[in-house]
Amino acid sequence: MSATLLYIEDDREIGSFVVEHLRERNYEVKWLRSGERALEEVAGCHLVILDIMLPGLDGFTVGQRLKRAEPGIPILMLSARTAIDDKLQGLQFADDYVTKPFHPEELAARIEVLLRRTGAPSHEPVKVKHLLVYEAENRIVHADSGEEIPLSGKQFHIFMYLLRHLGQIMTKEQIYESVWGEPYLEGDKTLMVHIRYLREKIERDPASPEIVETIRGLGYRVRR
C-alpha cells in the first residue's frame, strides 16, 4: 500500500488540485491549511509537503520544528517563492524544493524519489513483540487474541512517535514537543499520565511494562 503524506497549504484552489492528484495515485493525504497542528498530525506520515507562505507560523518555522521532532521524515517545500535566498533557507532543513507553478507529474516523481531514498514503510501492520499488531490507519492495536484496543488521540500519537523511533530512547522533551507541539516544562506530569493510560491498554501487566519502557533519567523506548 502507498504512503501517507502530510500536506500543508492554505490556498484552497492549489490544495484541492494537489490533494486530488495525489489521491489518484493512491496516496493517503492529510491536508492542513496552517502549520499550527503540524507536529501533532505528522505522526503516522511518511513525507511532508510544505508551503512557505502560511497564516500564522510560516513554512520555514514549521519545517524546522518538524525536522527537529521527526529528523527522519522527508520534507518537500512547494512554494511560489523562487528567490535563491528562499531556496537556500528552505534547503537547510528540507530535502527538496519545488517552485510554483509546477507540473503534477514532476511533483509525483519528486515524492517517489524521496520516499525511496528514506525507505518509507508501507501500511502493513507492525508487530511489536509478541503482543500487538499496530494499525496506524484507525488508531487501533490488536492483541494476539484478536481483541481490538482503541487508543485516544494523544495515546495514538505518543505510541506512533515511539514506533517511528523503534528501539531508540526518546526524551520526554522530544515526545512532548512532537505530540503537543509546544516546549516541555520540567516537572509537567501530563506525558507521564498519558503513558500510564497507554500502558493500561496495551501492556499485559502495566506495573511491569514490556512494550513502552521507561529509561530512568532519559525517557521512553519501544522495543520489538
Side-chain angles (χ1 to χ4, degrees), residues 132 134-135 138-141 148-160 163 197-202:
L132 305 170
Y134 184 79
E135 296 185 356
N138 52 14
R139 300 183 182 181
I140 291 177
V141 294
E148 288 190 353
I149 307 171
L151 301 180
S152 73
K154 286 294 189 290
Q155 292 162 6
F156 166 80
H157 289 303
I158 291 168
F159 193 34
M160 190 64 198
L163 284 175
Y197 290 152
L198 174 62
R199 284 172 169 161
E200 288 175 357
K201 290 186 176 181
I202 67 174

Side-chain angles (χ1 to χ4, degrees), residues 9-59:
E9 166 67 70
D10 66 317
D11 187 297
R12 290 182 178 273
E13 184 176 353
I14 294 174
S16 297
F17 169 74
V18 171
V19 169
E20 180 180 4
H21 178 73
L22 293 175
R23 286 177 176 164
E24 285 176 354
R25 290 178 168 269
N26 296 318
Y27 288 114
E28 296 288 334
V29 184
K30 295 182 183 180
W31 179 16
L32 301 181
R33 293 173 179 81
S34 78
E36 302 298 330
R37 290 174 47 82
L39 286 172
E40 182 173 345
E41 294 297 330
V42 75
C45 295
H46 305 120
L47 181 141
V48 176
I49 305 170
L50 177 62
D51 188 22
I52 293 175
M53 294 181 287
L54 298 170
L57 297 174
D58 64 78

Side-chain angles (χ1 to χ4, degrees), residues 115-186:
L115 290 174
R116 287 199 302 269
R117 185 184 302 166
T118 55
S122 70
H123 288 280
E124 293 301 315
V126 177
K127 195 168 181 64
V128 180
K129 291 187 178 293
H130 60 287
L131 298 175
L132 305 170
V133 175
Y134 184 79
E135 296 185 356
E137 293 84 354
N138 52 14
R139 300 183 182 181
I140 291 177
V141 294
H142 284 187
D144 281 349
S145 64
E147 176 192 4
E148 288 190 353
I149 307 171
L151 301 180
S152 73
K154 286 294 189 290
Q155 292 162 6
F156 166 80
H157 289 303
I158 291 168
F159 193 34
M160 190 64 198
Y161 182 80
L162 292 171
L163 284 175
R164 284 179 55 81
H165 300 88
L166 199 62
Q168 301 177 44
I169 299 171
M170 308 310 296
T171 68
K172 292 179 290 185
E173 292 80 4
Q174 288 172 316
I175 301 169
Y176 193 92
E177 182 170 343
S178 175
V179 174
W180 276 269
E182 54 190 45
Y184 171 78
L185 298 177
E186 191 61 40

Side-chain angles (χ1 to χ4, degrees), residues 76-141:
L76 186 153
M77 303 297 294
L78 185 61
S79 175
R81 293 170 65 163
T82 60
I84 187 63
D85 288 345
D86 291 325
K87 292 182 180 181
L88 292 175
Q89 184 176 353
L91 289 172
Q92 288 180 8
F93 60 86
D95 300 271
D96 201 354
Y97 193 111
V98 176
T99 57
K100 302 173 184 176
F102 59 90
H103 195 286
E105 295 299 325
E106 179 189 2
L107 177 62
R110 301 249 192 159
I111 290 170
E112 285 297 319
V113 167
L114 291 176
L115 290 174
R116 287 199 302 269
R117 185 184 302 166
T118 55
S122 70
H123 288 280
E124 293 301 315
V126 177
K127 195 168 181 64
V128 180
K129 291 187 178 293
H130 60 287
L131 298 175
L132 305 170
V133 175
Y134 184 79
E135 296 185 356
E137 293 84 354
N138 52 14
R139 300 183 182 181
I140 291 177
V141 294

